[in-house]
Amino acid sequence: MGGASSSIRWSRAWCASTRPATGCSKWRSSGPSDHAAALEHGALFALLPFVPTSRDELERLRARLRDWNAAAVQPTAAATGYYAIHNGAHAHLRLYLLGAVDARLGDDAASLTAARDLERLPGVPFATTIARDLAHGVRAQVAWRHGRTGEAFIELNQARMGAGYEPGVASPFFSESLERFLRAEAFEASGRRQEALQTYDSFDLYSIYDLIYLGPARLARARILDQLGRQEEAVAEYAGFVDLWRNCDPELQPLVHEARLALSRLGSQAGR
């Protein structure tokens, strides 16, 4: 799918999280004016931790980001912040995405170089403030992929949500949803289950762009509650996940099957 129909599909996936799609190749710009947004959002979709983006697709994405002259993007004159929110920050977002893609590909040296360059990139105060947070996020992803959970926490804890409330609501980058989901995963991996539950529970409370994480967050909460023996709560979370993702793409249907099996098991236990 391409053009406007593709944008509609991705918008529905992002905002409603009812039909998440895989990879970023399905996102296409409908014209020169939205090229920056298409590339930025498409890259972020490809980096979703629950999306099985292929290595080939990540390699193509990295090449596009390397070739993109983000500093040349002209500010939008749109009156609403939802369209103008990334004015002055495209070059910073490019380095963030490049570093995150490098981390996903296992190219640690390139990823850490991008994080360093991101912190040093000049710009308006707003952009440089959020750049520091995003650089910590890139380094956290490198550490996480090597199983260095403590190091990932150190990086994530240095991020200060510097964009502020309103920019965070209006931007999937400035809400730092990818980093918050990573924090929840790190809490879970460290056995800090209550903190993991609280962090996973944050994705329907802040930005509309967080909602694509809502299904996976509910599944993660269901698994933790299941492990803790909190059966009634686990059933509610499993059921909520199934309701959100029942029509998801085939690549993600095994997660729905897992949740349905868990509901069946818990239902059987309740009947004993």
Side-chain angles (χ1 to χ4, degrees), residues 179-194:
E179 287 70 33
R180 287 189 289 119
F181 196 86
L182 177 57
R183 181 188 293 273
E185 290 183 304
F187 278 136
E188 184 178 358
S190 301
R192 297 163 65 176
R193 290 173 171 172
Q194 192 55 45

Side-chain angles (χ1 to χ4, degrees), residues 95-119:
L95 279 173
Y96 165 67
L97 291 166
L98 191 55
V101 170
D102 284 331
R104 186 83 168 252
L105 287 168
D107 191 343
D108 296 352
S111 183
L112 296 174
T113 295
R116 182 198 64 207
D117 292 345
L118 176 56
E119 286 181 319

Side-chain angles (χ1 to χ4, degrees), residues 3 6-7 10 14 39 46 61 64 66 88 94 111 132 135 137 145 151 162 193 204 207 218 225 228 241:
S6 178
S7 298
W10 275 109
W14 189 276
L39 180 53
L61 176 58
R64 289 185 67 198
R66 284 176 172 173
R94 171 188 169 275
S111 183
R132 287 192 290 271
R145 293 190 176 281
E151 184 179 329
R193 290 173 171 172
D204 62 346
S207 169
R218 295 202 74 169
L225 292 165
L228 292 172
F241 170 72

